[in-house]
Amino acid sequence: MLTSLKNLQKSHGAELCEDATLPSSPTVRLCDYDRWHKPVFTYPSLDVALETGFPRDGIYRILIGVESIDLMIQGSEILRAGRGGQPLLVPFSGAVSNRNDQRAPFFSGLGLSEALKLPLLAVSDPTMARSGDVSLAWYAGNDHLPNLPDLIAEIVDHFSETFSCKPLLIGGSGGGFAVLSVLPRLRLRATGLVWNPQTSIGEYGASAVASYLRAAFPRSADENGLNGDASDEVQRFSIQAILAESGIDHDLTGREKAGIGELLYLQNRGDWHLLKHAGPYLRTATWERLSAHSFRQKQGEMACWFGKWGTGHAVPPKAMLEKILAALAGGNSASQVAVLLDDKEGVEEPLVWFDVDGAPFLTALAEWRDGQVLARCELGASKGGYAPESAFYLLVDGQRVDARWYSNEPCACFSHAGGGDRLDVIAFIRDSLGNIRTARAPVPPRPVISVSEEAIQVHCVGAEPGAHEIRPAATFPESEADDAKAYWSSLDAASHATYTKRQEWSEALAKELARHSPKSVFEFGCNAGKNLLAMRDRMPNTLLAGVDVNRAAVAVAKGFGLNVQVSDESSLKELADGAFDVAFTVSVLDHLPHPEVALKELARISRIAVYLLEPWLGDEGKVVRNYNRALSRDIETTPYSYSWDYQELVKRTLPNWSCVSRPMPLPTNLGLFYFLFELVPAHA
């Protein structure tokens, strides 16, 4: 050590530090070091800390302005013994439940360190000391420490280099997010272990994220109206805006995973994090199956295991964690441990993953059986041979009237008393990570047996008229186009809260476009950018651009780092022929009273294909009212919504293009009428 212990400032007890020079930030630190019963050493700066080192067990406070990064060292005698390559446990804490009057610092992993006789370097999240209302801060940083993960990585690297040890970073839930954030920042070789981690802060519970942001970025929280009185939807919009402005690393889902290092990712099958966090994070890597529930990254050192060790967002049992850590500390790779877990923990149902095994070809079938509609799905072979879950809709004249939610049954029965011109079924299959495929099939006419004296006659049930009110284009006033544009461009920020959510159709569309390996993609009507974000995750090297008429939505999209601008179809004329490989829309042309101009321009600027995810209700015109099955009544349709026959529209306006379509229902008011139209030039 370059300096002695005499140069350390010792401090004990509860502490309240204030700095009146920074009124815009919470400069009160709520700390209680006494409860840890450890000596406390204070360094005036990170440079002094790294120069002096950490010579003995205790708590080390590293002052950085008004903030303090608090560390706990345990088992330093093992490190001083000098055995090179000694594993160093580096735990990150998850949420603090029932915090009440508990004060920072918060350290975890002490029991595991003692049980496994491993030295420990635990880090407390400094933002937790700012407010007693904060239960979780993800080690993401705050307005004074926006680069907190980099600082933690620097400390871990220096400590490990000094003692010639190998870091083993561990954490679950929010602590797992910290591991995923810090691990790729380390210079030295390290291993990570996470369980049920969050991978995008914005996708966690709105109240917890709002509490963190109010403490971490109070000025931005005030400016964006983030308070406890707002609804979750409005809060989520403010949350996305603050996260985009903050400069912190808050969304890990779209990152390249090849250089992250050795990582074992554990996910409980019954946890909602499986679909919201594990799926989007793991989707950007390429995987191969090791066993029924374990997988290995093809280009990298990650492995994942999907188990069942409790209900919901449960922490793995301590004995299980000790075995895993002992195996990793003993030199076993993440892949070896994942396979070992599959052998020992014995989960019955295999994990189904379309991206690994390939989605089986899906065919929907429908028939009448004993007076009921029998819906079935037939599946082609997949590489893994594992059966996905199935769900079914029954549609009457395009409206969903009944549903059977996901189960392991490949069929479902629906009762139908009669009525309607057309009956259809939609079959869905879903893998364990939430990837969905759909197919649609018409229901044949129902035979009704009536007995007369002459013979048995078979006839078909009659139909009832539809419930939509659609006004033809001939009735539109001259101002219709200007009125529609004014409406959609004037929606305020709160109206766009739902558009910042990542949706299943965004992921499905990104995967569809990725088939073309496009070098450039353009979205007409990009709104707040959720579709382009899915494209960026799926195709990180593709040039992405978009336009939208709504200034508030474009501001949100720009906050995500997207190349977008405020404009309408008139701006497309400024683009060169074939400027982009692929262009697409999602529910945009259905808000234009005259979509021909936009469609022609999109075809002109697209070299390979144009995709339209738009609704078709069977008649052309302005949709004024529609029947909402959930409310069991007619409702007014969203203003300036239109139904266009895109097959005919393409024939009229783009005679040298072909158009094919398939149903792609969305979870919206008119969602069951959405189709994905693929337009391809004749020379393709």
Side-chain angles (χ1 to χ4, degrees):
M1 299 300 169
L2 298 178
T3 58
S4 68
L5 291 175
K6 295 179 182 178
N7 295 327
L8 298 178
Q9 304 170 17
K10 291 191 175 182
S11 59
H12 296 276
E15 184 170 294
L16 192 68
C17 307
E18 296 188 73
D19 185 341
T21 64
L22 297 169
S24 65
S25 297
T27 55
V28 175
R29 300 195 71 252
L30 303 174
C31 304
D32 181 3
Y33 297 93
D34 264 353
R35 65 191 183 94
W36 292 104
H37 307 291
K38 304 274 187 183
V40 181
F41 308 99
T42 302
Y43 286 117
S45 69
L46 180 58
D47 288 340
V48 172
L50 298 182
E51 181 184 2
T52 305
F54 311 95
R56 55 176 290 190
D57 286 5
I59 295 174
Y60 290 81
R61 302 177 59 231
I62 303 174
L63 303 182
I64 302 177
V66 296
E67 301 288 345
S68 167
I69 298 179
D70 297 335
L71 313 174
M72 178 181 286
I73 310 297
Q74 182 172 286
S76 59
E77 71 281 356
I78 302 174
L79 297 172
R80 286 197 300 271
R83 182 165 65 88
Q86 168 68 46
L88 171 70
L89 198 62
V90 185
F92 293 86
S93 301
V96 179
S97 57
N98 303 317
R99 182 169 177 179
N100 298 325
D101 59 349
Q102 292 185 69
R103 295 186 171 196
F106 297 98
F107 300 111
S108 60
L110 278 69
L112 290 170
S113 168
E114 292 172 355
L116 298 170
K117 295 181 171 53
L118 293 176
L120 172 136
L121 169 61
V123 187
S124 179
D125 193 328
T127 306
M128 297 290 290
R130 286 190 165 198
S131 169
D133 295 330
V134 181
S135 61
L136 180 60
W138 293 276
Y139 295 82
N142 54 51
D143 50 5
H144 289 157
L145 296 173
N147 61 336
L148 180 61
D150 294 309
L151 297 176
I152 294 173
E154 188 176 359
I155 293 169
V156 174
D157 270 331
H158 184 87
F159 191 96
S160 304
E161 218 162 26
T162 300
F163 291 102
S164 300
C165 51
K166 181 185 176 183
L168 176 51
L169 281 60
I170 69 168
S173 193
F177 179 96
V179 173
L180 297 177
S181 178
V182 172
L183 186 63
R185 290 175 158 85
L186 295 173
R187 290 183 293 103
L188 300 181
R189 180 167 176 77
T191 299
L193 169 66
V194 297
W195 54 91
N196 301 337
Q198 283 103 54
T199 59
S200 175
I201 294 175
E203 291 295 331
Y204 195 60
S207 61
V209 180
S211 295
Y212 157 64
L213 292 177
R214 283 193 290 268
F217 302 96
R219 178 177 292 167
S220 183
D222 288 341
E223 291 173 352
N224 285 277
L226 185 63
N227 57 67
D229 298 329
S231 68
D232 272 3
E233 286 298 325
V234 174
Q235 278 200 106
R236 284 204 178 278
F237 181 82
S238 299
I239 284 168
Q240 294 291 352
I242 297 168
L243 288 173
E245 296 170 1
S246 67
I248 63 170
D249 204 0
H250 62 87
D251 186 352
L252 310 178
T253 56
R255 298 295 168 75
E256 173 61 46
K257 306 300 190 300
I260 194 173
E262 185 170 46
L263 174 70
L264 178 56
Y265 193 119
L266 309 180
Q267 180 60 58
N268 192 29
R269 294 276 293 272
D271 180 12
W272 66 272
H273 284 57
L274 176 64
L275 302 182
K276 279 287 187 179
H277 292 276
Y281 181 81
L282 299 174
R283 202 170 289 146
T284 54
T286 306
W287 299 89
E288 60 184 350
R289 185 181 290 274
L290 294 172
S291 61
H293 314 97
S294 58
F295 302 82
R296 174 174 58 197
Q297 185 185 14
K298 285 186 176 181
Q299 292 86 31
E301 299 179 271
M302 290 175 58
C304 51
W305 181 72
F306 301 88
K308 286 188 177 180
W309 58 73
T311 302
H313 195 54
V315 179
K318 183 181 178 184
M320 177 178 162
L321 282 179
E322 288 179 356
K323 289 178 182 177
I324 295 170
L325 288 171
L328 292 172
N332 290 278
S333 69
S335 297
Q336 289 171 327
V337 177
V339 174
L340 181 67
L341 283 168
D342 228 20
D343 292 339
K344 299 293 184 183
E345 298 299 326
V347 182
E348 291 182 3
E349 304 89 350
L351 185 117
V352 183
W353 197 348
F354 293 160
D355 290 343
V356 175
D357 301 318
F361 184 79
L362 171 63
T363 303
L365 301 169
E367 62 181 289
W368 289 95
R369 182 80 59 85
D370 297 329
Q372 294 184 310
V373 175
L374 175 64
R376 295 185 291 121
C377 61
E378 285 192 353
L379 303 178
S382 65
K383 186 168 63 176
Y386 302 120
E389 293 182 310
S390 305
F392 299 90
Y393 285 171
L394 176 65
L395 312 182
V396 177
D397 294 334
Q399 294 280 354
R400 189 184 78 194
V401 297
D402 205 352
R404 298 291 182 269
W405 304 117
Y406 284 101
S407 72
N408 293 323
E409 295 295 328
C411 59
C413 287
F414 296 98
S415 297
H416 181 62
D421 287 325
R422 179 183 175 91
L423 272 66
D424 297 272
V425 297
I426 298 179
F428 302 80
I429 56 172
R430 181 178 71 178
D431 71 10
S432 304
L433 276 77
N435 299 303
I436 293 175
R437 303 290 186 272
T438 66
R440 186 169 181 157
V443 179
R446 180 173 65 175
V448 178
I449 307 301
S450 57
V451 180
S452 68
E453 293 182 357
E454 287 101 13
I456 298 178
Q457 300 177 343
V458 178
H459 61 89
C460 295
V461 177
E464 296 177 352
H468 304 306
E469 181 182 345
I470 300 178
R471 296 176 183 172
T475 66
F476 295 174
E478 291 185 4
S479 62
E480 183 77 9
D482 291 336
D483 294 343
K485 180 179 176 181
Y487 173 80
W488 290 108
S489 62
S490 65
L491 293 179
D492 59 16
S495 301
H496 289 278
T498 186
Y499 292 100
T500 63
K501 292 181 178 179
R502 297 288 285 274
Q503 303 284 2
E504 290 175 350
W505 70 77
S506 301
E507 313 295 339
L509 192 57
K511 191 165 187 178
E512 180 71 27
L513 267 64
R515 293 191 302 108
H516 300 286
S517 300
K519 294 181 180 178
S520 57
V521 171
F522 179 82
E523 181 177 14
F524 178 62
C526 62
N527 203 270
K530 69 174 183 302
N531 299 317
L532 288 175
L533 287 174
M535 303 290 165
R536 188 168 71 184
D537 289 351
R538 174 70 64 172
M539 300 172 283
N541 297 320
T542 298
L543 172 68
L544 303 173
V547 296
D548 197 276
V549 296
N550 190 280
R551 191 171 300 275
V554 168
V556 175
K558 285 186 174 181
F560 295 132
L562 295 171
N563 178 23
V564 296
Q565 59 181 287
V566 180
S567 192
D568 56 18
E569 59 268 33
S570 63
S571 68
L572 302 181
K573 294 182 171 64
E574 302 172 9
L575 297 172
D577 293 357
F580 292 87
D581 286 345
V582 179
F584 73 97
T585 69
V586 177
S587 191
V588 174
L589 300 188
D590 66 320
H591 298 306
L592 297 180
H594 307 292
E596 297 87 354
V597 173
L599 184 60
K600 283 183 178 180
E601 290 299 315
L602 289 172
R604 184 185 62 79
I605 68 171
S606 302
R607 190 177 64 85
I608 297 176
V610 175
Y611 283 86
L612 312 175
L613 182 51
E614 304 284 349
W616 164 234
L617 278 68
D619 288 309
E620 288 197 312
K622 186 175 185 177
V623 186
V624 180
R625 295 184 66 82
N626 67 275
Y627 185 76
N628 185 287
R629 177 59 54 180
L631 300 176
S632 299
R633 60 181 173 84
D634 288 353
I635 64 170
E636 291 188 3
T637 309
T638 302
Y640 301 102
S641 295
Y642 307 89
S643 170
W644 303 119
D645 186 342
Y646 294 98
Q647 297 275 8
E648 289 300 318
L649 195 60
V650 170
K651 290 179 182 178
R652 293 197 305 267
T653 60
L654 302 171
N656 295 322
W657 286 62
S658 64
C659 177
V660 295
S661 67
R662 68 174 186 268
M664 196 170 182
L666 308 184
T668 60
N669 177 34
L670 294 175
L672 291 174
F673 299 95
Y674 276 76
F675 292 79
L676 182 62
F677 299 89
E678 181 183 3
L679 285 59
V680 179
H683 62 75

